Amino acid sequence: MAGSVAVNALVETVVDLDAIAHNVRILREHAGDAGVMAVVKADGYNHGSIEVGRAALTAGASELGVATVAEAAQLRAAGITAPILCWLDSADADLTAAVAADVEIGVSSRVHLQAVASAARELGRTATVTVKVDTGLNRNGAAPDEYSPLLAAVRTLVDEHTVHFRALFSHLARADEPEHPANDLQHARFLDAIAAAKEHGLEPELVHLANSAATLTRPDLAFDLVRSGIAVYGLSPIPDNDFGLRPAMTFQSRVALVKEVAAGEGVSYGHTWIAPRDTTIALIAAGYADGVFRGLSGRFDVRIGDTRYRNVGRVCMDQFVVELGDNSSGVVVGDTAVLFDEQPHAQEWADLLDTIHYEVVCAPRGRTARRYRGGAR
Ligand SMILES: *Cc1c(COP(=O)(O)O)cnc(C)c1O
């Protein structure tokens, strides 16, 4: 349990490290002979990159992936020695720290590669690089006109022992639509990119393409390593198939007050809900400052005990209200109110907000404390 976390926090995320381990085991089954890289960028999709990273490695993940050098350095500082790849940095990032910490750097351009080479020369060390090739996502990765000159530059730096070329990777645009021809087009382009690297005398130790969705649905795209993020956290990237994954995050708060309201009384700012009957309400201590979207007002449930209760009136900065009716279950102050875990599920928020569960689990913030359960703790 992180020492800085207040034990009596009202609003908190509880991250189940046994669920992380369970999900990594499912991913390993799907990956076959390929290794599993657990993607722990954005502080482990807001689950805690260090704790999740350790739990994933213990459960058999072989590597960790992050976006930035700073994220990678944080994992190294926590004592994690497994391979770590980062793939999104500007050329002015602190690449020296990354090279010194033996972080593998994904490069998408010659400018970026030269910055890595400068850091390596400064340290008198060899930097490990992975080339990221754009096969059709048209986001990060070397574009077709950049790819060949980038390979030539890598080849030169390898000959100088400034750079160790480890791997080649690319990222899919439509993996959550497994049958979409874009996946096959990207696959074909990736095979061409591997062949082009070999023509430059660059033999990658590893090549990788698959994210969670492809790991679970396209075993033909697994290559040597799969890069799984969202599924590690127990959320399925494929609608209507959970693959046996278990959500690792519980977002919860407490009942701060229980009271009666008379029929005809308005509740919360703007009185957007008027009590249609004499009823009981519970005040929940979590608001939009903590990641409970105001746009959910009046449309979402919390679970207290085994019962779901509907939010009534507006979600405010620090609090919102649910209706208990006759409160036959006997909800009292201090009870835990679950905003999402398995039931309600983050997908319900995603549907209500017209977004994806990735964004939902990234939402808890502000006063939200995080603690862990399970794992070898
Ligand atoms: C975020 C990310 C992943 C993981 O994607 P999921 O859909 O969460 O599995 C893999 N590769 C790259 C390059 C990424 O940016």
Side-chain angles (χ1 to χ4, degrees), residues 95-96 98-100 102-105 107 112-121 123-130 154 157-158 160-166:
L95 297 168
T96 322
V99 175
D102 200 20
V103 168
E104 181 181 343
I105 303 169
V107 295
H112 192 192
L113 175 68
Q114 292 308 337
V116 174
S118 302
R121 289 191 191 103
L123 289 164
R125 287 183 66 138
T126 303
T128 302
V129 302
T130 279
V154 171
L157 292 167
V158 166
E160 289 172 14
H161 303 289
T162 306
V163 152
H164 166 62
F165 172 67
R166 181 164 185 244

Side-chain angles (χ1 to χ4, degrees), residues 6-310:
V7 176
N8 290 316
L10 289 169
V11 53
E12 57 183 4
T13 53
V14 184
V15 175
D16 182 351
L17 297 176
D18 291 338
I20 299 286
H22 166 86
N23 299 328
V24 168
R25 286 191 291 267
I26 288 181
L27 289 163
R28 284 184 67 199
E29 281 166 24
H30 283 86
D33 292 335
V36 173
M37 170 189 283
V39 178
V40 295
K41 64 193 182 190
D43 198 17
Y45 292 41
N46 202 28
H47 293 63
S49 62
I50 293 168
E51 300 286 346
V52 169
R54 285 194 187 121
L57 291 166
T58 303
S62 52
E63 317 204 1
L64 300 180
V66 290
T68 66
V69 154
E71 291 175 325
Q74 216 181 1
L75 297 169
R76 279 283 182 263
I80 293 175
T81 55
I84 301 172
L85 171 66
C86 64
W87 53 70
L88 185 65
D89 279 291
S90 55
D92 59 359
D94 188 2
L95 297 168
T96 322
V99 175
D102 200 20
V103 168
E104 181 181 343
I105 303 169
V107 295
S108 294
S109 70
R110 280 168 291 171
V111 172
H112 192 192
L113 175 68
Q114 292 308 337
V116 174
S118 302
R121 289 191 191 103
E122 199 182 312
L123 289 164
R125 287 183 66 138
T126 303
T128 302
V129 302
T130 279
V131 170
K132 182 163 192 188
V133 57
D134 189 349
T135 53
L137 176 58
N138 291 309
R139 199 181 64 174
N140 200 3
D145 62 336
E146 176 68 12
Y147 184 56
S148 187
L150 175 61
L151 290 174
V154 171
R155 178 71 238 180
T156 303
L157 292 167
V158 166
D159 291 342
E160 289 172 14
H161 303 289
T162 306
V163 152
H164 166 62
F165 172 67
R166 181 164 185 244
L168 179 66
F169 82 112
S170 191
H171 195 37
L172 296 167
R174 308 187 72 158
D176 54 344
E177 304 162 82
E179 309 301 328
H180 198 281
N183 296 304
D184 299 315
L185 178 61
Q186 286 199 262
H187 183 197
R189 288 176 176 172
F190 190 52
L191 293 174
D192 290 345
I194 297 166
K198 289 180 180 167
E199 279 159 25
H200 282 80
L202 296 168
E203 184 73 46
E205 289 166 27
L206 297 172
V207 297
H208 44 101
L209 180 62
N211 58 4
S212 293
T215 304
L216 294 165
T217 62
R218 292 290 305 259
D220 57 317
L221 304 183
F223 289 96
D224 302 310
L225 185 72
V226 296
R227 300 185 311 273
S228 303
I230 198 70
V232 168
Y233 306 95
L235 298 173
S236 172
I238 306 291
D240 306 324
N241 189 347
D242 71 8
F243 298 94
L245 300 165
R246 275 177 21 213
M249 179 186 285
T250 301
F251 186 28
Q252 63 185 32
S253 189
R254 307 272 197 95
V255 174
L257 195 65
V258 175
K259 64 167 85 169
E260 318 270 291
V261 292
E265 288 288 320
V267 168
S268 193
Y269 290 134
H271 284 174
T272 55
W273 185 78
I274 310 285
R277 58 200 148 248
D278 291 349
T279 189
T280 312
I281 58 173
L283 181 67
I284 312 298
Y288 57 75
D290 308 299
V292 187
F293 298 89
R294 187 172 178 275
L296 291 172
S297 294
R299 303 191 297 146
F300 74 110
D301 294 341
V302 301
R303 192 184 81 242
I304 305 175
D306 292 330
T307 311
R308 287 173 69 129
Y309 299 98
R310 179 51 52 111

Side-chain angles (χ1 to χ4, degrees), residues 289-341:
D290 308 299
V292 187
F293 298 89
R294 187 172 178 275
L296 291 172
S297 294
R299 303 191 297 146
F300 74 110
D301 294 341
V302 301
R303 192 184 81 242
I304 305 175
D306 292 330
T307 311
R308 287 173 69 129
Y309 299 98
R310 179 51 52 111
N311 160 240
V312 291
R314 283 203 181 127
V315 172
C316 311
M317 187 179 290
D318 321 304
Q319 51 194 297
F320 63 89
V321 168
V322 297
E323 190 194 5
L324 302 176
D326 63 4
N327 194 16
S328 55
S329 303
V331 171
V332 294
V333 169
D335 281 356
T336 295
V338 173
L339 285 82
F340 61 76
D341 55 3

